[in-house]
Amino acid sequence: MLPTVIIIIIVVAILILIIAAYNSLIRLRNQVDNAWSQIDVQLKRRHDLIPNLVETAKGFMKHERGTFEAITEARSKAMGARSVSEHSQAEGQLSEALSKFMLVVENYPDLKANQNFLAVQEELTSTENKIAFSRQNYNDQVLLFNNKIQMFPSNLIANMFNFSKRDFFEIETPAERQAPKVSFDS
Amino acid sequence: MWELIRTNKRNSILLMTIMASVLLALGGIIGLYVVGPEGVPFGLAIALAIWLILTLVSFSAGDQILLSASRAKLITHDIHPQLFNVVEEMKIAAGLPMPKIYLIDDPAPNAFATGRKPENASIAVTAGLLEKLNRDELQGVIAHEMSHILHRDILFVTLAGIMLGSIVILSQVFLRGMFYSSMGGRRRRVSSSGRGSGQAQLVIALIAILAAILAPIMAHILYFAISRKREYLADAAAARLTRYPEGLASALEKISGSAEKMDSPDKVTAPMYIVNPLQSTKRKLSGLGSTHPPTSQRIKVLRNMAGGSYNDYAQSYSRVTGSRERVLPAAALHDKQPVPKRQGQAEPAPAKSQKDQIHRISDLVRMANGFAFLACVCGLKMKIPPNYRKESLTCPRCKRPHNIAKEAQKNTAK
């Protein structure tokens, strides 16, 4: 009688431990996925903002055709990119074009004082930050998840249910699904 | 990060247990003194009842009470886009749900976070903070508040505050009761026994008075000790979230150096602010009775950081203070790779005149209160209070008619 009770208790305890470990793995994996989708959201937001930026600045910077073209070109490239390497390259180019644009803006005091432009600039700065911070958060979450998968005893459960390690997000930005068409009249 | 939160929770529970035993012991001793040995359970019951009532009230509406006590107004994206964006950035960096944002009508710069859990947390900032800080500094402050939410400090402050409140109430009621009853002649129980019992009575009275005086002081010291540790941890976490310790450092400098003092600081909300509004900035050392470490020291530690990780913060702390004391919990020091700092990005804000600043602060507060802003062609800017019921008005200077609803909408769309 007593041995059976003890065995039952042990089995139940192990089951509870397995369930708890499994649940925490799931929670961590969901956090990783969520962090990943955040990056996508922010990249898309950047694409949406660019027409606004160009529209606002155009009137003030008539002689900077080249700069605008570089931005619009990088944007459409980033939106149309198919493979991961294309994506990362295009997003990198877009970042570069934007920072060049911000340097040029320094020469136009009228533009820098324009309320509309300041608003767009704030949104753009914030989006760039959000991209950086969502990457940072993604890497933090991946670190937690990978640690959990590799450490005993949760690694046993991870192997049982096929949890696999995630990769860190390196400087280049690979994936970006599809950005919607944006109307230019805002 | 989860280990860190767990350690924090464990510390909270430990502190709460100690405080609860202090509270119960106080209740017991008072019961023993007032009624006698049979009064101990009675005293315990009263202590518990006070605690329970305060807990219920603060759990159902604690954050709302605090926010309305500091005259905070819930605001939306349109009223201050930059604040909203910065909060969103930090929420992404910390992986938390979006907190509610409140604006406090006060020209002195300060901020606090409250709530019970991240899902219903709120961050409140003063209008003066928004006016005085640049983007990077604001980011540092918001990151500090976000860390309080992330580490569940907001729950701890609420719970510990309740405990502290109960102890203070109990001891105050007892001491005042003693005072008045001794003034109005001794209302002594008739003791049938001899001198021995009278002496015991005296000893109990002495112990009770001592306990009533010492318990609140002890509870305060305990609470403040942990509160200071949490300020350091939140500073370290803010540096790690933003990767830019200088932002928070220079924000702290501006906040503690500002000439304005907060209008309505009180002892209850003071420990929650990023810089304690009740403490004078001149003080060099933080004594046992301060909720925050000295701001000058917090700034120095932040500025001495070699990188952005918790390890960098702990190292900088021991360099600056020269003490071996562990400032951060061991669970925080898990970064293996170095965390690089980044460059600041905010441009130096153009110098604004005092008058201009005051103008903009009051405009901000008006906007938060639902005022409509209309600009007339003649250059006059009209601020229409939300309780103005008519649909249109004429410009008081040039007598042009304006349609409020239509023009106000155009303003917000911009």
Side-chain angles (χ1 to χ4, degrees):
Chain A
M1 183 57 204
L2 195 65
T4 34
V5 171
I6 292 176
I7 289 173
I8 289 175
I9 289 177
I10 290 175
V11 168
V12 169
I14 290 178
L15 264 181
I16 289 177
L17 281 181
I18 289 180
I19 292 172
Y22 179 78
N23 281 350
S24 80
L25 278 170
I26 292 280
R27 193 191 63 213
L28 284 173
R29 194 175 64 183
N30 285 347
Q31 275 173 357
V32 170
D33 288 341
N34 181 38
W36 178 252
S37 64
Q38 275 292 337
I39 304 178
D40 265 9
V41 169
Q42 300 308 333
L43 283 176
K44 216 161 158 186
R45 219 183 113 72
R46 179 161 77 169
H47 294 172
D48 297 353
L49 272 173
I50 285 170
N52 246 331
L53 177 79
V54 170
E55 202 57 29
T56 329
K58 235 179 194 166
F60 293 89
M61 303 165 68
K62 295 213 170 64
H63 309 293
E64 306 284 351
R65 284 271 288 290
T67 323
F68 286 123
E69 271 164 14
I71 293 178
T72 358
E73 201 182 316
R75 173 179 178 261
S76 50
K77 243 192 203 163
M79 284 167 67
R82 289 280 166 270
S83 72
V84 172
S85 62
E86 258 177 50
H87 270 302
S88 60
Q89 209 186 357
E91 291 293 347
Q93 256 177 29
L94 185 55
S95 295
E96 211 174 294
L98 279 173
S99 53
K100 227 180 246 167
F101 171 76
M102 284 305 167
L103 277 180
V104 175
V105 167
E106 295 296 314
N107 304 331
Y108 292 85
D110 286 356
L111 179 60
K112 274 178 72 184
N114 180 281
Q115 281 299 323
N116 285 337
F117 178 73
L118 284 177
V120 181
Q121 193 190 23
E122 163 59 30
E123 292 302 315
L124 195 67
T125 315
S126 177
T127 309
E128 296 283 342
N129 283 350
K130 282 171 195 162
I131 292 172
F133 285 128
S134 49
R135 264 188 214 152
Q136 184 182 312
N137 181 38
Y138 173 78
N139 284 342
D140 285 355
Q141 303 293 354
V142 168
L143 181 72
L144 286 179
F145 181 68
N146 287 352
N147 281 350
K148 191 89 181 174
I149 281 185
Q150 289 167 328
M151 277 193 295
F152 184 82
S154 46
N155 62 345
L156 299 178
I157 288 120
N159 283 334
M160 220 188 295
F161 293 99
N162 277 331
F163 284 92
S164 52
K165 256 178 77 178
R166 293 299 181 90
D167 294 328
F168 287 103
F169 199 119
E170 304 305 340
I171 324 280
E172 245 86 35
T173 58
E176 219 280 332
R177 309 279 171 273
Q178 239 185 344
K181 284 268 175 282
V182 193
S183 58
F184 278 68
D185 55 352
S186 54
Chain B
M1 192 46 77
W2 283 99
E3 287 83 25
L4 191 58
I5 293 170
R6 219 170 293 143
T7 343
N8 240 340
K9 275 188 184 155
R10 209 166 41 226
N11 284 342
S12 304
I13 292 171
L14 186 70
L15 176 76
M16 299 305 293
T17 323
I18 296 175
M19 279 210 178
S21 5
V22 170
L23 178 67
L24 287 179
L26 186 62
I29 291 173
I30 291 177
L32 184 67
Y33 169 75
V34 175
V35 187
E38 63 275 21
V40 174
F42 184 63
L44 292 181
I46 287 190
L48 265 182
I50 293 180
W51 178 73
L52 207 67
I53 291 171
L54 284 180
T55 309
L56 281 179
V57 169
S58 62
F59 257 69
S60 55
D63 49 345
Q64 288 310 315
I65 293 173
L66 283 177
L67 286 166
S68 61
S70 35
R71 286 176 291 128
K73 265 261 184 302
L74 187 67
I75 62 166
T76 54
H77 179 275
D78 292 335
I79 290 166
H80 202 284
Q82 191 180 66
L83 172 65
F84 234 82
N85 283 337
V86 167
V87 173
E88 221 175 336
E89 286 162 23
M90 286 303 108
K91 158 221 132 177
I92 290 173
L96 288 174
M98 185 77 179
K100 290 191 283 285
I101 305 176
Y102 285 82
L103 182 75
I104 304 172
D105 172 10
D106 200 309
N110 226 327
F112 70 81
T114 182
R116 266 166 293 136
K117 47 179 199 278
E119 286 74 25
N120 63 14
S122 314
I123 289 182
V125 302
T126 61
L129 187 86
L130 296 176
E131 206 37 56
K132 293 208 171 67
L133 302 191
N134 67 27
R135 200 173 199 288
D136 280 336
E137 292 159 350
L138 186 62
Q139 202 178 47
V141 171
I142 298 296
H144 175 100
E145 298 307 334
M146 207 54 100
S147 319
H148 278 318
I149 298 177
L150 183 65
H151 300 146
R152 312 296 191 274
D153 290 345
I154 45 174
L155 175 66
F156 164 80
V157 169
T158 316
L159 286 177
I162 296 164
M163 276 288 181
L164 198 59
S166 315
I167 293 175
V168 170
I169 289 179
L170 197 59
S171 72
Q172 283 292 320
V173 166
F174 171 69
L175 286 176
R176 277 171 205 213
M178 283 264 312
F179 182 68
Y180 288 122
S181 69
S182 69
M183 293 250 295
R186 306 289 283 178
R187 162 184 65 82
R188 264 260 164 114
R189 287 178 306 133
V190 187
S191 86
S192 51
S193 34
R195 288 175 57 119
S197 160
Q199 249 172 12
Q201 188 80 23
L202 199 69
V203 171
I204 292 176
L206 266 178
I207 292 178
I209 294 174
L210 262 182
I213 294 173
L214 286 184
I217 299 176
M218 266 171 54
H220 265 107
I221 290 177
L222 208 63
Y223 172 43
F224 290 163
I226 298 215
S227 159
R228 282 199 301 274
K229 282 254 153 118
R230 284 173 192 248
E231 288 305 319
Y232 281 125
L233 180 59
D235 279 356
R240 193 177 185 284
L241 283 181
T242 56
R243 306 276 147 98
Y244 188 61
E246 175 58 31
L248 181 57
S250 97
L252 288 176
E253 207 168 49
K254 278 191 189 170
I255 294 172
S256 63
S258 109
E260 290 103 343
K261 288 282 158 273
M262 285 203 67
D263 279 344
S264 61
D266 52 77
K267 279 187 180 156
V268 187
T269 48
M272 295 168 35
Y273 283 97
I274 183 166
V275 170
N276 191 332
L278 288 178
Q279 258 157 27
S280 78
T281 51
K282 298 283 183 298
R283 271 218 338 244
K284 273 269 163 56
L285 290 163
S286 81
L288 287 173
S290 46
T291 54
H292 288 56
T295 313
S296 58
Q297 186 181 315
R298 286 167 70 189
I299 296 169
K300 244 188 243 155
V301 173
L302 284 168
R303 291 221 160 119
N304 263 300
M305 287 174 73
S309 72
Y310 289 119
N311 287 317
D312 292 319
Y313 190 86
Q315 277 160 19
S316 166
Y317 178 81
S318 43
R319 261 204 310 277
V320 167
T321 59
S323 82
R324 287 286 181 76
E325 183 198 2
R326 258 230 319 264
V327 61
L328 302 178
L333 309 172
H334 67 269
D335 282 319
K336 285 172 202 89
Q337 304 100 320
V339 178
K341 283 198 275 189
R342 65 175 172 82
Q343 295 291 309
Q345 48 186 200
E347 307 168 18
K352 285 171 268 184
S353 72
Q354 192 81 18
K355 202 175 138 209
D356 211 32
Q357 243 179 27
I358 292 169
H359 255 291
R360 288 167 48 133
I361 287 176
S362 55
D363 272 3
L364 198 61
V365 172
R366 281 206 190 90
M367 236 192 290
N369 281 320
F371 276 57
F373 283 70
L374 294 189
C376 186
V377 192
C378 68
L380 191 71
K381 210 170 162 193
M382 291 170 284
K383 297 154 191 171
I384 297 122
N387 56 4
Y388 184 80
R389 290 268 167 259
K390 280 186 226 155
E391 273 177 19
S392 58
L393 81 172
T394 50
C395 172
R397 194 196 283 168
C398 61
K399 307 279 183 267
R400 281 193 189 84
H402 288 274
N403 184 325
I404 296 174
K406 226 161 84 191
E407 291 186 38
Q409 211 153 47
K410 214 167 63 194
N411 276 351
T412 50
K414 187 179 77 180

